[in-house]
Amino acid sequence: MIRSVIVGCGSYLPERVMTNADMAEIVDTSDEWIVARSGIRQRHIAAEGQTTGDLAEAAARDALKHAGLEPADIDLIIVATATPDNTFPATATSVQARLGIRDGAAFDIQAVCSGFIYGLATADNFLKAGQFKRALVIGAETFSRILDWEDRTTCVLFGDGAGAVVVEAQEGAGTSDDRGILTTHLHADGRHHDLLYVDGGPSSTKTVGHLRMSGKEVFRHAVVNLASVINEALEATGLAADDIDWVIPHQANKRILDGTARKLKLAPEKVVVTVDRHGNTSAASVPLAMAEAIRDGRIKRGDMLLLEAMGGGFTWGSALVRW
Ligand code: UT7
């Protein structure tokens, strides 16, 4: 059978770092509160004029380099983002043009913080169906542009960044020993719109709007939904929590990462954590964390990776990947 094998991973973070102390100069907050409630110590913020497309392109080039491939080798580009450069066309088409790719398909996916998992699952299904051979799946965000910088309950939590993977169709045996994406699981429950949303949009207010969140409610749903979708992935493959080498979660809050790991009896040292330095970068957080753990040598060839995320909608999902 065809397996979608991740053959490269890359990332990009804007140069400017904003610390919790910097935050305390803008809103009534403190380093102690932000660290205790979220585990965040700093986040990266895009420069004036630097767009999601710029971040996505940089991460894509890094992933292609890591894979040892050229832009022309790619025939599908998926950008997961809730902060596109324009309402249309898709940021993915802009990335395609910047990379000098003239053929294949390119589109954006909007599943907010679960966007990268949704994008990876979409690419996996296209590759397994034989429609494309090599995909770039990019999670890229400039959440700093949709934050209400007077709302201390949200603006301290998010950051900008991008991560990308190159996924290639290869022959596999069809067992869990194969390299590549072994299983993906996606969910949505649109009844929870009002708990995490942006209060604007082209068709409603004709504005971009600002992020609004009922943090406590989202937190409660996150731990339950993530545990359930992780169990689903394990059941689908017949694997146990002990078989997982690295958990690469969406980085929303250190307490959510700890709570989910505890619930599933996953060793905390197997969880890749970047939320302390990146904040919540929405669709970018999973590939950003993955790129970091590959680059520093923690993730080794053959390791079993568990990817998971939950975000606005609500949407949530998981993927099991043998590196
Ligand atoms: O990526 C998509 C998914 N997003 C998430 O998963 C986020 C989920 N939620 C969370 O991470 C947490 O709920 C938060 C970090 C957002 C908040 O933590 P919490 O423990 O749920 O705190 P809280 O909202 O209950 O707020 C506690 C207090 C409140 O004061 P009172 O009402 O108790 O007097 C807030 O007004 O903390 C106050 N507060 C702040 N204080 C200092 C809220 N924001 C701040 C702040 N600095 N930035």
Side-chain angles (χ1 to χ4, degrees):
M1 71 175 289
I2 296 175
R3 286 290 193 194
S4 311
V5 178
I6 301 183
V7 293
C9 185
S11 64
Y12 176 80
L13 286 162
E15 234 168 84
R16 183 177 160 216
V17 170
M18 197 173 175
T19 64
N20 289 350
D22 297 331
M23 276 291 169
E25 301 204 345
I26 298 178
V27 288
D28 179 17
T29 190
S30 64
D31 179 52
E32 294 71 27
W33 190 94
I34 302 172
V35 172
R37 301 290 175 139
S38 71
I40 298 166
R41 293 180 184 277
Q42 61 168 58
R43 69 289 291 145
H44 291 250
I45 302 290
E48 190 71 35
Q50 191 178 32
T51 68
T52 292
D54 294 327
L55 274 50
E57 180 194 355
R61 289 192 186 279
D62 193 34
L64 283 167
K65 192 170 160 210
H66 184 230
L69 293 168
E70 298 296 324
D73 296 323
I74 300 297
D75 55 3
L76 172 65
I77 301 175
I78 299 176
V79 173
T81 188
T83 47
D85 290 6
N86 298 99
T87 301
F88 83 78
T91 302
T93 58
S94 151
V95 171
Q96 184 204 34
R98 292 146 180 258
L99 293 176
I101 300 172
R102 298 281 171 268
D103 203 4
F107 58 88
D108 288 358
I109 274 191
Q110 160 61 291
V112 208
C113 300
S114 315
F116 181 76
I117 307 286
Y118 266 64
L120 198 64
T122 304
D124 179 37
N125 283 306
F126 271 122
L127 296 189
K128 283 196 298 204
Q131 198 165 347
F132 298 104
K133 291 274 174 273
R134 269 191 217 99
L136 254 174
V137 182
I138 307 165
E141 303 278 16
T142 46
F143 258 49
S144 62
R145 306 271 155 75
I146 57 163
L147 296 175
D148 175 350
W149 286 95
E150 292 179 359
D151 175 13
R152 68 173 184 173
T153 69
T154 53
C155 75
V156 302
L157 301 172
F158 296 88
D160 302 335
V165 294
V166 180
V167 195
E168 181 177 270
Q170 294 184 5
E171 274 304 316
T175 71
S176 60
D177 290 334
D178 285 347
R179 278 196 80 201
I181 300 170
L182 301 182
T183 191
T184 61
H185 302 270
L186 304 180
H187 293 275
D189 186 346
R191 290 174 301 171
H192 301 295
H193 171 280
D194 293 352
L195 297 180
L196 179 49
Y197 68 105
V198 166
D199 62 4
S203 180
S204 52
T205 58
K206 296 184 268 182
T207 62
V208 173
H210 290 121
L211 183 148
R212 306 291 173 207
M213 177 166 74
S214 306
K216 246 189 186 8
E217 308 302 320
V218 177
F219 192 108
R220 204 167 46 80
H221 283 277
V223 178
V224 175
N225 290 342
L226 288 172
S228 147
V229 80
I230 291 169
N231 275 328
E232 211 179 319
L234 293 175
E235 277 163 26
T237 47
L239 295 167
D242 277 352
D243 297 319
I244 306 300
D245 294 298
W246 295 104
V247 184
I248 308 173
H250 168 51
Q251 311 278 324
N253 185 320
K254 179 71 167 53
R255 285 156 56 214
I256 296 180
L257 307 192
D258 295 343
T260 311
R262 236 188 344 262
K263 210 170 159 97
L264 293 160
K265 300 193 169 60
L266 289 159
E269 60 274 14
K270 287 183 174 180
V271 181
V272 179
V273 180
T274 55
V275 68
D276 52 331
R277 286 155 294 123
H278 301 172
N280 180 346
T281 57
S282 183
S285 88
V286 169
L288 266 166
M290 188 168 168
E292 181 173 289
I294 289 168
R295 203 172 298 133
D296 68 20
R298 267 179 289 174
I299 294 177
K300 299 195 169 51
R301 178 65 81 94
D303 278 358
M304 183 65 74
L305 315 181
L306 169 66
L307 283 48
E308 45 95 328
M310 143 104 188
F314 292 145
T315 56
W316 64 102
S318 64
L320 273 173
V321 177
R322 191 177 289 285
W323 175 248

PDB file of all heavy atoms in Angstrom, residues 28-29 33 37 113 152-153 156-157 196 213 215-216 218-219 250 252-253 255-256 280 310, ligand 1:
ATOM      1  N   ASP A  28      -2.335  44.835  32.024  1.00  0.00           N
ATOM      2  CA  ASP A  28      -2.184  44.590  33.455  1.00  0.00           C
ATOM      3  C   ASP A  28      -1.967  43.093  33.693  1.00  0.00           C
ATOM      4  O   ASP A  28      -2.912  42.342  33.921  1.00  0.00           O
ATOM      5  CB  ASP A  28      -3.451  45.090  34.174  1.00  0.00           C
ATOM      6  CG  ASP A  28      -3.374  44.853  35.672  1.00  0.00           C
ATOM      7  OD1 ASP A  28      -2.250  44.606  36.186  1.00  0.00           O
ATOM      8  OD2 ASP A  28      -4.432  44.898  36.331  1.00  0.00           O
ATOM      9  N   THR A  29      -0.706  42.659  33.585  1.00  0.00           N
ATOM     10  CA  THR A  29      -0.372  41.253  33.780  1.00  0.00           C
ATOM     11  C   THR A  29       1.023  41.146  34.402  1.00  0.00           C
ATOM     12  O   THR A  29       1.660  42.154  34.671  1.00  0.00           O
ATOM     13  CB  THR A  29      -0.441  40.483  32.436  1.00  0.00           C
ATOM     14  OG1 THR A  29      -0.350  39.092  32.690  1.00  0.00           O
ATOM     15  CG2 THR A  29       0.677  40.887  31.472  1.00  0.00           C
ATOM     16  N   TRP A  33       1.998  35.446  36.618  1.00  0.00           N
ATOM     17  CA  TRP A  33       0.653  34.967  36.230  1.00  0.00           C
ATOM     18  C   TRP A  33       0.740  34.168  34.935  1.00  0.00           C
ATOM     19  O   TRP A  33       0.206  33.055  34.849  1.00  0.00           O
ATOM     20  CB  TRP A  33      -0.337  36.134  36.054  1.00  0.00           C
ATOM     21  CG  TRP A  33      -1.753  35.645  35.893  1.00  0.00           C
ATOM     22  CD1 TRP A  33      -2.686  35.498  36.886  1.00  0.00           C
ATOM     23  CD2 TRP A  33      -2.385  35.176  34.692  1.00  0.00           C
ATOM     24  NE1 TRP A  33      -3.867  34.978  36.370  1.00  0.00           N
ATOM     25  CE2 TRP A  33      -3.700  34.770  35.015  1.00  0.00           C
ATOM     26  CE3 TRP A  33      -1.986  35.048  33.367  1.00  0.00           C
ATOM     27  CZ2 TRP A  33      -4.614  34.271  34.091  1.00  0.00           C
ATOM     28  CZ3 TRP A  33      -2.891  34.536  32.428  1.00  0.00           C
ATOM     29  CH2 TRP A  33      -4.183  34.153  32.800  1.00  0.00           C
ATOM     30  N   ARG A  37      -0.137  30.162  34.810  1.00  0.00           N
ATOM     31  CA  ARG A  37      -1.385  29.735  34.159  1.00  0.00           C
ATOM     32  C   ARG A  37      -1.180  29.065  32.809  1.00  0.00           C
ATOM     33  O   ARG A  37      -2.054  28.333  32.351  1.00  0.00           O
ATOM     34  CB  ARG A  37      -2.321  30.941  33.956  1.00  0.00           C
ATOM     35  CG  ARG A  37      -2.715  31.655  35.216  1.00  0.00           C
ATOM     36  CD  ARG A  37      -3.645  30.793  36.044  1.00  0.00           C
ATOM     37  NE  ARG A  37      -3.937  31.437  37.312  1.00  0.00           N
ATOM     38  CZ  ARG A  37      -5.145  31.452  37.866  1.00  0.00           C
ATOM     39  NH1 ARG A  37      -6.152  30.861  37.275  1.00  0.00           N
ATOM     40  NH2 ARG A  37      -5.318  32.044  39.023  1.00  0.00           N
ATOM     41  N   CYS A 113      -6.300  25.991  15.292  1.00  0.00           N
ATOM     42  CA  CYS A 113      -5.149  25.317  15.909  1.00  0.00           C
ATOM     43  C   CYS A 113      -5.000  23.862  15.464  1.00  0.00           C
ATOM     44  O   CYS A 113      -3.918  23.285  15.586  1.00  0.00           O
ATOM     45  CB  CYS A 113      -5.244  25.401  17.423  1.00  0.00           C
ATOM     46  SG  CYS A 113      -5.261  27.095  18.000  1.00  0.00           S
ATOM     47  N   ARG A 152      -6.135  41.348  28.196  1.00  0.00           N
ATOM     48  CA  ARG A 152      -5.048  40.576  28.827  1.00  0.00           C
ATOM     49  C   ARG A 152      -5.360  39.082  28.888  1.00  0.00           C
ATOM     50  O   ARG A 152      -4.450  38.262  29.080  1.00  0.00           O
ATOM     51  CB  ARG A 152      -4.758  41.102  30.229  1.00  0.00           C
ATOM     52  CG  ARG A 152      -5.883  40.850  31.216  1.00  0.00           C
ATOM     53  CD  ARG A 152      -5.477  41.228  32.626  1.00  0.00           C
ATOM     54  NE  ARG A 152      -6.537  40.899  33.568  1.00  0.00           N
ATOM     55  CZ  ARG A 152      -6.421  40.991  34.881  1.00  0.00           C
ATOM     56  NH1 ARG A 152      -5.283  41.417  35.395  1.00  0.00           N
ATOM     57  NH2 ARG A 152      -7.416  40.665  35.670  1.00  0.00           N
ATOM     58  N   THR A 153      -6.645  38.720  28.790  1.00  0.00           N
ATOM     59  CA  THR A 153      -6.987  37.298  28.912  1.00  0.00           C
ATOM     60  C   THR A 153      -6.611  36.514  27.645  1.00  0.00           C
ATOM     61  O   THR A 153      -6.576  35.299  27.668  1.00  0.00           O
ATOM     62  CB  THR A 153      -8.491  37.078  29.211  1.00  0.00           C
ATOM     63  OG1 THR A 153      -9.252  37.436  28.050  1.00  0.00           O
ATOM     64  CG2 THR A 153      -8.958  37.917  30.388  1.00  0.00           C
ATOM     65  N   VAL A 156      -1.763  37.661  25.803  1.00  0.00           N
ATOM     66  CA  VAL A 156      -0.502  37.135  26.360  1.00  0.00           C
ATOM     67  C   VAL A 156      -0.228  35.692  25.896  1.00  0.00           C
ATOM     68  O   VAL A 156       0.863  35.166  26.139  1.00  0.00           O
ATOM     69  CB  VAL A 156      -0.517  37.158  27.910  1.00  0.00           C
ATOM     70  CG1 VAL A 156      -0.752  38.580  28.415  1.00  0.00           C
ATOM     71  CG2 VAL A 156      -1.558  36.210  28.489  1.00  0.00           C
ATOM     72  N   LEU A 157      -1.212  35.066  25.249  1.00  0.00           N
ATOM     73  CA  LEU A 157      -1.123  33.616  25.010  1.00  0.00           C
ATOM     74  C   LEU A 157      -0.569  33.215  23.646  1.00  0.00           C
ATOM     75  O   LEU A 157      -0.131  32.077  23.466  1.00  0.00           O
ATOM     76  CB  LEU A 157      -2.514  32.979  25.171  1.00  0.00           C
ATOM     77  CG  LEU A 157      -3.193  33.163  26.532  1.00  0.00           C
ATOM     78  CD1 LEU A 157      -4.627  32.659  26.465  1.00  0.00           C
ATOM     79  CD2 LEU A 157      -2.415  32.437  27.621  1.00  0.00           C
ATOM     80  N   LEU A 196     -14.538  30.114  21.267  1.00  0.00           N
ATOM     81  CA  LEU A 196     -13.251  30.500  20.678  1.00  0.00           C
ATOM     82  C   LEU A 196     -13.499  30.906  19.234  1.00  0.00           C
ATOM     83  O   LEU A 196     -13.785  30.057  18.390  1.00  0.00           O
ATOM     84  CB  LEU A 196     -12.274  29.298  20.768  1.00  0.00           C
ATOM     85  CG  LEU A 196     -10.872  29.464  20.197  1.00  0.00           C
ATOM     86  CD1 LEU A 196     -10.192  30.723  20.672  1.00  0.00           C
ATOM     87  CD2 LEU A 196     -10.010  28.241  20.532  1.00  0.00           C
ATOM     88  N   MET A 213     -11.987  34.464  23.430  1.00  0.00           N
ATOM     89  CA  MET A 213     -11.916  33.092  23.969  1.00  0.00           C
ATOM     90  C   MET A 213     -12.413  33.029  25.404  1.00  0.00           C
ATOM     91  O   MET A 213     -12.069  33.864  26.230  1.00  0.00           O
ATOM     92  CB  MET A 213     -10.466  32.586  23.915  1.00  0.00           C
ATOM     93  CG  MET A 213     -10.296  31.188  24.521  1.00  0.00           C
ATOM     94  SD  MET A 213      -8.735  30.418  24.118  1.00  0.00           S
ATOM     95  CE  MET A 213      -7.636  31.349  25.166  1.00  0.00           C
ATOM     96  N   GLY A 215     -11.418  31.022  27.974  1.00  0.00           N
ATOM     97  CA  GLY A 215     -10.281  30.137  28.233  1.00  0.00           C
ATOM     98  C   GLY A 215     -10.605  28.911  29.073  1.00  0.00           C
ATOM     99  O   GLY A 215     -10.217  27.795  28.728  1.00  0.00           O
ATOM    100  N   LYS A 216     -11.324  29.136  30.155  1.00  0.00           N
ATOM    101  CA  LYS A 216     -11.611  28.035  31.086  1.00  0.00           C
ATOM    102  C   LYS A 216     -12.402  26.920  30.407  1.00  0.00           C
ATOM    103  O   LYS A 216     -12.135  25.736  30.616  1.00  0.00           O
ATOM    104  CB  LYS A 216     -12.419  28.577  32.270  1.00  0.00           C
ATOM    105  CG  LYS A 216     -11.653  28.494  33.563  1.00  0.00           C
ATOM    106  CD  LYS A 216     -12.543  28.832  34.732  1.00  0.00           C
ATOM    107  CE  LYS A 216     -11.810  28.907  36.046  1.00  0.00           C
ATOM    108  NZ  LYS A 216     -10.385  28.844  36.080  1.00  0.00           N
ATOM    109  N   VAL A 218     -12.622  26.302  27.134  1.00  0.00           N
ATOM    110  CA  VAL A 218     -11.804  25.667  26.091  1.00  0.00           C
ATOM    111  C   VAL A 218     -10.860  24.655  26.739  1.00  0.00           C
ATOM    112  O   VAL A 218     -10.710  23.528  26.258  1.00  0.00           O
ATOM    113  CB  VAL A 218     -11.005  26.723  25.288  1.00  0.00           C
ATOM    114  CG1 VAL A 218     -10.108  26.049  24.248  1.00  0.00           C
ATOM    115  CG2 VAL A 218     -11.938  27.715  24.606  1.00  0.00           C
ATOM    116  N   PHE A 219     -10.263  25.047  27.826  1.00  0.00           N
ATOM    117  CA  PHE A 219      -9.332  24.196  28.573  1.00  0.00           C
ATOM    118  C   PHE A 219      -9.999  22.863  28.932  1.00  0.00           C
ATOM    119  O   PHE A 219      -9.451  21.782  28.703  1.00  0.00           O
ATOM    120  CB  PHE A 219      -8.906  24.938  29.842  1.00  0.00           C
ATOM    121  CG  PHE A 219      -7.753  24.317  30.570  1.00  0.00           C
ATOM    122  CD1 PHE A 219      -6.504  24.924  30.565  1.00  0.00           C
ATOM    123  CD2 PHE A 219      -7.912  23.122  31.269  1.00  0.00           C
ATOM    124  CE1 PHE A 219      -5.438  24.351  31.243  1.00  0.00           C
ATOM    125  CE2 PHE A 219      -6.854  22.546  31.936  1.00  0.00           C
ATOM    126  CZ  PHE A 219      -5.615  23.161  31.929  1.00  0.00           C
ATOM    127  N   HIS A 250      -0.220  20.155  20.041  1.00  0.00           N
ATOM    128  CA  HIS A 250      -0.456  21.581  19.832  1.00  0.00           C
ATOM    129  C   HIS A 250      -0.095  22.295  21.133  1.00  0.00           C
ATOM    130  O   HIS A 250      -0.474  21.853  22.218  1.00  0.00           O
ATOM    131  CB  HIS A 250      -1.914  21.841  19.465  1.00  0.00           C
ATOM    132  CG  HIS A 250      -2.280  23.287  19.526  1.00  0.00           C
ATOM    133  ND1 HIS A 250      -1.527  24.251  18.889  1.00  0.00           N
ATOM    134  CD2 HIS A 250      -3.284  23.950  20.164  1.00  0.00           C
ATOM    135  CE1 HIS A 250      -2.056  25.436  19.137  1.00  0.00           C
ATOM    136  NE2 HIS A 250      -3.119  25.281  19.914  1.00  0.00           N
ATOM    137  N   ALA A 252      -0.785  24.930  23.352  1.00  0.00           N
ATOM    138  CA  ALA A 252      -1.701  25.987  23.788  1.00  0.00           C
ATOM    139  C   ALA A 252      -1.380  26.416  25.211  1.00  0.00           C
ATOM    140  O   ALA A 252      -1.407  27.599  25.536  1.00  0.00           O
ATOM    141  CB  ALA A 252      -3.137  25.520  23.702  1.00  0.00           C
ATOM    142  N   ASN A 253      -1.075  25.447  26.045  1.00  0.00           N
ATOM    143  CA  ASN A 253      -0.912  25.719  27.468  1.00  0.00           C
ATOM    144  C   ASN A 253      -0.187  24.521  28.083  1.00  0.00           C
ATOM    145  O   ASN A 253      -0.596  23.388  27.878  1.00  0.00           O
ATOM    146  CB  ASN A 253      -2.312  25.883  28.092  1.00  0.00           C
ATOM    147  CG  ASN A 253      -2.244  26.288  29.546  1.00  0.00           C
ATOM    148  OD1 ASN A 253      -1.401  25.808  30.307  1.00  0.00           O
ATOM    149  ND2 ASN A 253      -3.142  27.166  29.946  1.00  0.00           N
ATOM    150  N   ARG A 255      -0.249  23.448  30.959  1.00  0.00           N
ATOM    151  CA  ARG A 255      -1.129  22.673  31.854  1.00  0.00           C
ATOM    152  C   ARG A 255      -1.994  21.691  31.062  1.00  0.00           C
ATOM    153  O   ARG A 255      -2.344  20.623  31.566  1.00  0.00           O
ATOM    154  CB  ARG A 255      -2.000  23.618  32.682  1.00  0.00           C
ATOM    155  CG  ARG A 255      -1.217  24.306  33.823  1.00  0.00           C
ATOM    156  CD  ARG A 255      -1.875  25.614  34.243  1.00  0.00           C
ATOM    157  NE  ARG A 255      -3.262  25.433  34.635  1.00  0.00           N
ATOM    158  CZ  ARG A 255      -4.232  26.337  34.434  1.00  0.00           C
ATOM    159  NH1 ARG A 255      -3.976  27.476  33.837  1.00  0.00           N
ATOM    160  NH2 ARG A 255      -5.461  26.095  34.836  1.00  0.00           N
ATOM    161  N   ILE A 256      -2.352  22.061  29.807  1.00  0.00           N
ATOM    162  CA  ILE A 256      -3.117  21.127  28.967  1.00  0.00           C
ATOM    163  C   ILE A 256      -2.215  19.951  28.572  1.00  0.00           C
ATOM    164  O   ILE A 256      -2.640  18.791  28.596  1.00  0.00           O
ATOM    165  CB  ILE A 256      -3.681  21.823  27.701  1.00  0.00           C
ATOM    166  CG1 ILE A 256      -4.681  22.913  28.088  1.00  0.00           C
ATOM    167  CG2 ILE A 256      -4.332  20.802  26.757  1.00  0.00           C
ATOM    168  CD1 ILE A 256      -5.307  23.655  26.915  1.00  0.00           C
ATOM    169  N   ASN A 280       1.348  30.169  21.945  1.00  0.00           N
ATOM    170  CA  ASN A 280       0.449  29.387  21.101  1.00  0.00           C
ATOM    171  C   ASN A 280       0.503  29.960  19.681  1.00  0.00           C
ATOM    172  O   ASN A 280       0.045  31.069  19.445  1.00  0.00           O
ATOM    173  CB  ASN A 280      -0.970  29.489  21.687  1.00  0.00           C
ATOM    174  CG  ASN A 280      -2.003  28.710  20.885  1.00  0.00           C
ATOM    175  OD1 ASN A 280      -1.742  28.298  19.751  1.00  0.00           O
ATOM    176  ND2 ASN A 280      -3.172  28.528  21.457  1.00  0.00           N
ATOM    177  N   MET A 310      -6.107  20.721  19.144  1.00  0.00           N
ATOM    178  CA  MET A 310      -7.511  21.083  19.353  1.00  0.00           C
ATOM    179  C   MET A 310      -7.612  22.594  19.225  1.00  0.00           C
ATOM    180  O   MET A 310      -6.716  23.324  19.658  1.00  0.00           O
ATOM    181  CB  MET A 310      -7.913  20.605  20.755  1.00  0.00           C
ATOM    182  CG  MET A 310      -8.844  21.499  21.518  1.00  0.00           C
ATOM    183  SD  MET A 310     -10.518  20.827  21.518  1.00  0.00           S
ATOM    184  CE  MET A 310     -11.394  22.186  22.262  1.00  0.00           C
TER     185      MET A 310
HETATM  186  O1  UT7 B   1      -5.257  26.953  20.955  1.00  0.00           O
HETATM  187  C1  UT7 B   1      -6.636  26.817  21.108  1.00  0.00           C
HETATM  188  C2  UT7 B   1      -6.963  26.296  22.393  1.00  0.00           C
HETATM  189  N1  UT7 B   1      -6.759  27.269  23.441  1.00  0.00           N
HETATM  190  C3  UT7 B   1      -6.576  26.822  24.635  1.00  0.00           C
HETATM  191  O2  UT7 B   1      -6.491  25.630  24.807  1.00  0.00           O
HETATM  192  C4  UT7 B   1      -6.552  27.784  25.794  1.00  0.00           C
HETATM  193  C5  UT7 B   1      -7.233  27.153  26.955  1.00  0.00           C
HETATM  194  N2  UT7 B   1      -7.309  27.934  28.158  1.00  0.00           N
HETATM  195  C6  UT7 B   1      -6.231  28.292  28.907  1.00  0.00           C
HETATM  196  O3  UT7 B   1      -5.117  28.045  28.509  1.00  0.00           O
HETATM  197  C7  UT7 B   1      -6.468  28.941  30.249  1.00  0.00           C
HETATM  198  O4  UT7 B   1      -7.849  28.860  30.570  1.00  0.00           O
HETATM  199  C8  UT7 B   1      -6.004  30.406  30.327  1.00  0.00           C
HETATM  200  C9  UT7 B   1      -4.479  30.447  30.328  1.00  0.00           C
HETATM  201  C10 UT7 B   1      -6.543  31.182  29.151  1.00  0.00           C
HETATM  202  C11 UT7 B   1      -6.492  31.063  31.626  1.00  0.00           C
HETATM  203  O5  UT7 B   1      -6.155  30.312  32.750  1.00  0.00           O
HETATM  204  P1  UT7 B   1      -7.233  30.025  33.906  1.00  0.00           P
HETATM  205  O6  UT7 B   1      -6.544  29.295  34.973  1.00  0.00           O
HETATM  206  O7  UT7 B   1      -8.407  29.340  33.259  1.00  0.00           O
HETATM  207  O8  UT7 B   1      -7.569  31.483  34.422  1.00  0.00           O
HETATM  208  P2  UT7 B   1      -8.968  32.277  34.438  1.00  0.00           P
HETATM  209  O9  UT7 B   1      -9.404  32.560  33.039  1.00  0.00           O
HETATM  210  O10 UT7 B   1      -9.897  31.553  35.311  1.00  0.00           O
HETATM  211  O11 UT7 B   1      -8.532  33.626  35.121  1.00  0.00           O
HETATM  212  C12 UT7 B   1      -8.185  33.703  36.485  1.00  0.00           C
HETATM  213  C13 UT7 B   1      -8.000  35.156  36.883  1.00  0.00           C
HETATM  214  C14 UT7 B   1      -9.172  36.055  36.540  1.00  0.00           C
HETATM  215  O12 UT7 B   1      -9.348  36.968  37.602  1.00  0.00           O
HETATM  216  P3  UT7 B   1     -10.551  36.761  38.634  1.00  0.00           P
HETATM  217  O13 UT7 B   1     -11.796  36.783  37.809  1.00  0.00           O
HETATM  218  O14 UT7 B   1     -10.282  35.418  39.265  1.00  0.00           O
HETATM  219  O15 UT7 B   1     -10.364  37.931  39.537  1.00  0.00           O
HETATM  220  C15 UT7 B   1      -8.684  36.823  35.338  1.00  0.00           C
HETATM  221  O16 UT7 B   1      -9.253  38.097  35.231  1.00  0.00           O
HETATM  222  O17 UT7 B   1      -6.857  35.705  36.223  1.00  0.00           O
HETATM  223  C16 UT7 B   1      -7.217  36.949  35.622  1.00  0.00           C
HETATM  224  N3  UT7 B   1      -6.434  37.110  34.391  1.00  0.00           N
HETATM  225  C17 UT7 B   1      -5.202  37.637  34.384  1.00  0.00           C
HETATM  226  N4  UT7 B   1      -4.395  38.111  35.339  1.00  0.00           N
HETATM  227  C18 UT7 B   1      -3.185  38.552  34.994  1.00  0.00           C
HETATM  228  C19 UT7 B   1      -6.778  36.745  33.139  1.00  0.00           C
HETATM  229  N5  UT7 B   1      -5.772  37.025  32.291  1.00  0.00           N
HETATM  230  C20 UT7 B   1      -4.781  37.571  33.033  1.00  0.00           C
HETATM  231  C21 UT7 B   1      -3.488  38.038  32.732  1.00  0.00           C
HETATM  232  N6  UT7 B   1      -2.732  38.519  33.734  1.00  0.00           N
HETATM  233  N7  UT7 B   1      -2.995  38.028  31.478  1.00  0.00           N
END
